[in-house]
Amino acid sequence: MSALRAPLPPLPGSPDLPQVLTAVPGPRSRALVDDLARSECPAITARRARRAETTGATEDPVVWERARGALVWDVDGNRYVDLTSAFGVATVGHAHPAVVAAGQAQLAALPHGMGDVFPNRRKVELAVRLGRIAPPGLDRAIFATSGSDAVDAALKTALVATGRPETIVFSGGYHGLGLGALGATSYRREFRAPFLPLLSSRFHHLPFPDPLRPPRGVDPSRVGEVVLGLAEALLADPASGASAVGSVLVEPILGRGGIVVPPPGFLAGLRALCDRYGILLVLDEVLTGFGRTGDWFACSGEGVVPDLVCVGKGMSSAFPISACLGTAAVMERWGRSSGEAIHTSTFQGNPVGAAMALAAIDALEGGLLEQGRRAGAVLRSLLDEVAARHPHRVAEVRGRGLMLGVDLVRDREGLVPDGDSGLRASRFLLERGFLCMPAGAAGHVLAVEPPACLTGAQAAAFATALDEFLSR
Ligand SMILES: Cc1ncc(COP(=O)(O)O)c(C=O)c1O
């Protein structure tokens, strides 16, 4: 057995708190990351170089071995509390026993089906179930494998349903990196710049209504109205260049763009605008859906019903499965397929993913949605206390439910983002056994997105470590 395959050391100490036994990363992580650097495309491993430049750490990633609940173990036996839910996926917790059991049983029975040709039983069950928990009326599904695929399906559906190819989107939005979704994504220009010749020019990018940092000259209390006015101007004025808008695509809360919550009434305003102009409201709830914000969907908390909603991540809490859900009226516009389905893919509605999603939905219904709401509230009040102790470094703690952001500034009065401080904080916290991610275009937001099973002790220990970072 190679050293890297040797059994993990025993796990002493308090079982739900972090325990970092080695330098971070430890020797096994370092060896594996070196292998990766030699074998993976540098576009992916580049994150390592950026982290090293910013944090001074010569080596960064720790290599994950296993996870359970809110805990992750690396290959060196270090135990971390995960406040990322692994990109917002593990809402019901890592390796939730019922989700794992459902996946294992399905793997043994039928690990793969035939998408649209011979549907599998779990895909059918999931489609029906989604119709019951989706925003009212959105009871038709197109399954996909990633969030980006779900957004592509929504963009295609919007064109098919309206005959109009243009879409209004918002700055800082992250909708995925496939060639369709990337056209709508504007978070970090580096993602788009090399591929501009391949991207559709039919997206109109408007500012996202950020109440903390509104566009220059805009009163923060009116930022929602102002952005709605800009959208209306685009739609109403034939000279605006937007002649064929069929949809508005928006994240109900900007995720990667910095956990930015739009002002109350903004989504409802978009709904009203779409109705006035006969266009579709498409919500990207890939991150916010399935309990992340304390509700099934972020839009349910606001009483807004979209025409299409994109979901992924927390839907299965583990497996690459996603969907675009829509009303019958919109989805029927695809019409009958004539021989070949014109929108499908090999792993569409994969039975293992569908079985795991059904189990994750059961777990949320069975108490984890409520537990997540409580965990989010506890964490929020702890983070608010930390922020109050560091008024010159923290502009605000914001977000909803299990989707929180700590906005770090260099100058509180000018609200000048402390560039890359989210990254520096996440490195500091990693060494203390907490996994976090930076967010926001300037990397100045610490995104805090734990699983619903985060305990009070874990939340308190994290707040103490963050306080320590801010005190330095
Ligand atoms: C709001 C939102 N939409 C879409 C995506 C893309 O999802 P995926 O990475 O699964 O393609 C993400 C990923 O972070 C996201 O946060």
Side-chain angles (χ1 to χ4, degrees):
M1 188 185 296
S2 88
L4 291 174
R5 302 296 309 156
L8 289 170
L11 303 164
S14 172
D16 68 347
L17 292 180
Q19 187 169 56
V20 180
L21 302 164
T22 68
V24 172
R28 292 178 183 192
S29 278
R30 226 173 295 146
L32 283 166
V33 170
D34 285 344
D35 284 349
L36 193 62
R38 284 189 289 269
S39 53
E40 194 177 42
C41 166
I44 299 162
T45 39
R47 179 191 283 273
R48 187 186 192 198
R50 176 171 164 243
R51 282 177 178 261
E53 277 161 29
T54 310
T55 63
T58 50
E59 307 280 346
D60 199 13
V62 295
V63 175
W64 290 17
E65 178 93 327
R66 60 196 171 92
R68 185 74 182 235
L71 295 174
V72 171
W73 284 263
D74 73 11
V75 288
D76 292 287
N78 297 312
R79 184 171 68 218
Y80 304 88
V81 172
D82 179 18
L83 293 114
T84 70
S85 299
F87 301 129
V89 169
T91 305
V92 303
H94 290 286
H96 185 287
V99 175
V100 171
Q104 284 170 333
Q106 190 57 47
L107 266 173
L110 178 74
H112 171 60
M114 277 190 75
D116 58 299
V117 177
F118 296 117
N120 69 82
R121 177 189 187 127
R122 299 290 170 239
K123 167 181 155 169
V124 179
E125 288 169 357
L126 180 60
V128 172
R129 188 82 177 271
L130 288 175
R132 294 203 195 111
I133 57 175
L138 275 71
D139 56 4
R140 301 294 161 97
I142 298 174
F143 285 111
T145 41
S146 70
S148 184
D149 297 341
V151 170
D152 282 356
L155 292 170
K156 280 181 163 182
T157 304
L159 171 57
V160 165
T162 66
R164 284 175 269 162
E166 297 177 6
T167 301
I168 293 177
V169 294
F170 295 87
S171 54
Y174 187 83
H175 301 288
L177 302 185
L179 286 177
L182 183 56
T185 290
S186 62
Y187 165 75
R188 286 196 180 271
R189 59 180 296 286
E190 304 92 277
F191 285 133
R192 293 165 55 84
F195 309 108
L196 280 175
L198 293 178
L199 302 184
S200 163
S201 57
R202 313 304 287 272
F203 293 101
H204 300 280
H205 295 258
L206 292 181
F208 191 85
D210 180 350
L212 187 68
R213 295 188 185 86
R216 193 186 295 272
V218 173
D219 178 345
S221 67
R222 295 196 51 239
V223 68
E225 278 167 63
V226 169
V227 174
L228 288 170
L230 291 173
E232 175 128 38
L234 264 184
L235 292 166
D237 179 2
S240 68
S243 53
V245 174
S247 59
V248 174
L249 168 66
V250 66
E251 287 169 82
I253 297 176
L254 271 195
R256 247 182 128 164
I259 322 287
V260 181
V261 186
F266 177 69
L267 282 188
L270 281 181
R271 176 70 276 175
L273 192 66
C274 289
D275 290 344
R276 267 202 306 287
Y277 287 86
I279 62 178
L280 304 184
L281 178 61
V282 185
L283 294 185
D284 180 347
E285 295 237 21
V286 167
L287 178 56
T288 51
F290 290 87
R292 176 73 22 215
T293 66
D295 288 296
W296 279 103
F297 300 95
C299 64
S300 13
E302 304 205 19
V304 170
V305 179
D307 300 289
L308 293 169
V309 65
C310 304
V311 293
K313 295 193 188 261
M315 180 165 88
S316 73
S317 258
F319 196 89
I321 184 166
S322 63
C324 165
L325 310 176
T327 59
V330 170
M331 290 295 193
E332 289 295 333
R333 302 299 296 272
W334 278 94
R336 304 247 164 269
S337 85
S338 48
E340 299 273 358
I342 63 165
H343 180 83
T344 185
S345 63
T346 303
F347 294 102
Q348 201 247 31
N350 173 273
V352 179
M356 292 170 78
L358 286 161
I361 292 168
D362 282 345
L364 285 168
E365 273 180 356
L368 271 166
L369 189 64
E370 180 52 36
Q371 191 177 333
R373 232 175 255 151
R374 287 198 302 272
V378 168
L379 187 59
R380 175 64 185 261
S381 70
L382 288 163
L383 294 180
D384 281 338
E385 279 172 32
V386 172
R389 279 199 290 280
H390 301 278
H392 300 294
R393 295 203 63 192
V394 180
E396 66 178 9
V397 176
R398 56 176 178 255
R400 203 180 292 160
L402 297 165
M403 184 175 172
L404 301 174
V406 183
D407 190 302
L408 300 165
V409 284
R410 262 191 292 127
D411 164 14
R412 178 69 183 77
E413 298 315 308
L415 292 173
V416 180
D418 190 4
D420 278 331
S421 53
L423 197 53
R424 285 196 300 276
S426 58
R427 170 72 211 187
F428 177 93
L429 292 161
L430 182 73
E431 284 170 8
R432 276 144 191 84
F434 298 97
L435 302 171
C436 275
M437 290 280 289
H444 64 292
V445 178
L446 187 68
V448 185
E449 297 174 337
C453 55
L454 187 82
T455 65
Q458 289 168 336
F462 171 68
T464 304
L466 180 61
D467 190 52
E468 199 192 329
F469 171 76
L470 293 168
S471 302
R472 282 152 61 103

